[in-house]
């Protein structure tokens, strides 16, 4: 009798293991197909300015959009993560040094990456937040590209991406923003220019950069990956609703909240928000406070 029970338990457990392995295999094959698909978008060209005001605007955008957090301080590329669970995630070298963008990488290739989320060859970019950069105004897009195209060359050859099992499963379940190419409305044209007067409208435009973590409705949610803190509500129903504008600005420029909580830059990129102008932070506050 006992032996029979053991036998059946054994078969049952082996069944579970087998089911888990085949589910994982299924997910990883599905992800691989999605990651290696070739997309074709009509080539786009926009006028790239060369004046110093536009270059300065581009530099500011690089700072406030967190490009350096992933691509490195000099945009020389960086291994963002390397462990057994999530795997190796690499943000490319955006300079024209060794290991960087090829000499043939032109304005339409920049647009393919920033508007559509694909490499020069039409393959999807992994973990590049193109679903956010695609919402930049044409004017900001041009300034960003203008700045990026004149940064000094850095020689930095990086290894390839190599997703681990946790990244595969989370991406399959839609809990990790792996393939922005799938999220973008590719037919949506760029707005010519964004509202740059201080206030909620400017705040809404800027807050696109917060939505990836704080969610589309800015009400926060589960941690972004295992081991990270939950993401707080930053609308008026969260702590922010009780803060004055000055406290909000102080939090986002110092990493310390009025409640005395210290934000780690790896969790909440406050070194990035610290680079917003006071006016931009004020607009973000106005916008977030306007959300019930
Ligand atoms: C969350 C991290 C992250 C942020 C923020 C980010 N990138 Fe990326 N980016 C990546 C990763 C990762 C890749 C490489 C994807 C790949 O090779 O599949 C990438 C790829 C690119 C590429 C394509 C390069 C190529 O080889 O085709 C360009 C261009 C680019 N990023 C520009 C930018 C700019 C400009 C910004 C700021 C507005 C930015 N990125 C912000 C992670 C990021
Ligand atoms: C990479 C993900 C990420 C991005 C991008 C991000 N945040 Fe956060 N933010 C977090 C996380 C995670 C926390 C909570 C950290 C903790 O608990 O220590 C947080 C905390 C905060 C807090 C403190 C809230 C509280 O209740 O104490 C504010 C305010 C905030 N973020 C505002 C912003 C704004 C504004 C933006 C966009 C300009 C932004 N964040 C972009 C992840 C992010």
């Amino acid at each position: 009798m006992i032996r029979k029970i053991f036998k059946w338990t054994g078969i049952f457990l082996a069944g579970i293991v087998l089911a888990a392995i085949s589910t994982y295999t299924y997910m990883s094959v599905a992800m691989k197909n999605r990651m290696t698909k070739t997309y074709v978008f009509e080539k786009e060209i926009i006028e790239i300015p060369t004046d110093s005001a536009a270059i300065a605007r581009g530099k500011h955008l690089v700072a406030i959009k967190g490009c350096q957090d992933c691509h490195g301080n000099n945009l020389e590329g960086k291994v963002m993560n390397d462990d057994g669970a999530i795997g190796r995630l690499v943000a490319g070298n955006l300079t024209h040094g060794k290991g960087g963008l090829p000499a043939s990488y032109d304005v339409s290739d920049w647009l393919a990456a920033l508007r559509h989320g694909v490499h020069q060859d039409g393959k999807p970019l992994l973990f590049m937040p193109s679903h956010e950069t695609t919402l930049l105004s044409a004017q900001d897009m041009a300034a960003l590209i203008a700045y990026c195209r004149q940064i000094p060359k850095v020689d930095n050859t990086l290894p390839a991406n190599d997703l681990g099992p946790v990244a595969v499963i989370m991406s399959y379940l839609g809990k990790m923003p792996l393939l922005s190419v799938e999220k973008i409305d590719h037919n949506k044209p760029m707005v010519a220019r964004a509202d740059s007067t201080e206030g909620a409208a400017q705040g809404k435009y800027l807050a696109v950069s917060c939505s990836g973590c704080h969610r589309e409705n800015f009400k926060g949610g589960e941690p972004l990956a295992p081991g990270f803190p939950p993401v707080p509500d930053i609308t008026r129903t969260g702590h922010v609703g009780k803060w004055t504008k000055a406290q909000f600005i102080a939090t986002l420029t110092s990493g310390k909240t009025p409640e005395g909580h210290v934000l780690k830059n790896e969790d909440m990129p406050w070194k990035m928000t610290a680079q917003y102008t006071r006016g931009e932070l004020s607009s973000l506050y106005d916008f977030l406070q306007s959300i019930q």
Side-chain angles (χ1 to χ4, degrees), residues 64 132 206-214 218 223-224 228-234 238-240 243 248 251-252 257-259 261-269 272-273 276 281 284 288:
I64 68 170
E132 294 179 6
L206 294 168
V208 166
S209 309
C210 324
S211 63
C213 299
H214 290 279
F218 305 100
L224 296 157
F228 283 83
V231 189
D233 176 357
I234 52 170
H239 281 140
V240 177
W243 299 350
F248 177 81
T251 302
L252 293 188
T257 74
E259 291 80 24
H261 181 58
V262 175
L263 301 167
K264 279 196 273 169
N265 190 58
E266 310 88 79
D267 301 334
M268 160 61 203
M272 168 188 93
T273 52
Y276 282 76
L281 290 174
L284 273 170
L288 295 170

Side-chain angles (χ1 to χ4, degrees), residues 33-42 112 116-125 179-184 186:
N33 287 339
R34 282 159 66 185
M35 290 188 305
T36 51
K37 184 172 167 185
T38 303
Y39 289 84
V40 182
F41 298 110
E42 211 168 306
H116 301 296
V118 296
H119 282 288
Q120 201 176 30
D121 62 2
K123 302 277 190 225
L125 298 174
L179 293 166
S180 56
V181 65
E182 294 179 352
K183 290 206 264 175
I184 295 172
H186 295 282

Side-chain angles (χ1 to χ4, degrees), residues 105-172:
Y105 204 85
D106 62 19
V107 172
S108 68
D109 295 319
W110 276 97
L111 288 169
L114 299 172
R115 293 250 299 135
H116 301 296
V118 296
H119 282 288
Q120 201 176 30
D121 62 2
K123 302 277 190 225
L125 298 174
L126 309 184
F127 284 111
M128 161 67 195
S130 306
H131 55 291
E132 294 179 6
T133 50
T134 194
L135 299 174
L136 286 169
S137 70
Q139 192 186 28
D140 279 347
M141 186 67 88
L144 181 60
I145 296 174
Y147 173 74
C148 289
R149 276 169 61 94
Q150 55 83 63
I151 51 173
K153 289 182 185 181
V154 182
D155 295 340
N156 188 25
T157 305
L158 294 144
N161 281 313
D162 185 12
L163 294 198
V166 171
V168 170
I169 294 169
M170 290 189 60
S171 303
Y172 183 85

Side-chain angles (χ1 to χ4, degrees), residues 18 198 246:
L18 207 66
E198 199 174 309

Side-chain angles (χ1 to χ4, degrees), residues 6 11 88 93 100 149 202 230 240:
F6 271 131
I11 292 176
R88 187 172 57 226
N93 178 349
R149 276 169 61 94
Q202 189 194 32
V240 177

